[in-house]
Amino acid sequence: MLNLLSFFVEISSVVFGIRIALATIALICIGFVIFVVMKQSGNTDGVEAITGSSNKSDESETYYGKNAGSRKEARLKLWTYIAAGVLALCFIVLLILQTFIK
């Protein structure tokens, strides 16, 4: 009986450690998602459409310059999806651990 009790105490401490690790990863992912979304530019022109101003420079005249913005946006969008997926996975695992092991 004592061995069985010590086994459950040991399992609960391991689960507690996993919960702490998953919560830490989730907090890091939340901060990363906020940062990456703030780095992305919006899809609308906003005030630029009214004023007619443009932020294009001479770099956009080359082929590399024309595609540099779209490649950067694609990378940021990919990192947003990855971080959001990891965040969702962390919360699902935390929910499963909370439901089945108390």
Side-chain angles (χ1 to χ4, degrees), residues 20-36 83-84 86-87 90-91:
I20 295 293
L22 287 173
T24 304
I25 292 170
L27 284 174
I28 291 170
C29 285
I30 289 170
F32 186 75
V33 166
I34 290 171
F35 174 74
V36 171
V86 170
L87 181 64
C90 284
F91 284 135

Side-chain angles (χ1 to χ4, degrees), residues 10-26 89-98 101:
E10 188 174 310
I11 291 225
S12 67
S13 65
V14 169
V15 169
F16 182 71
I18 292 172
R19 284 182 180 174
I20 295 293
L22 287 173
T24 304
I25 292 170
L89 185 66
C90 284
F91 284 135
I92 289 170
V93 172
L94 279 170
L95 182 66
I96 290 170
L97 286 176
Q98 180 181 356
I101 301 174

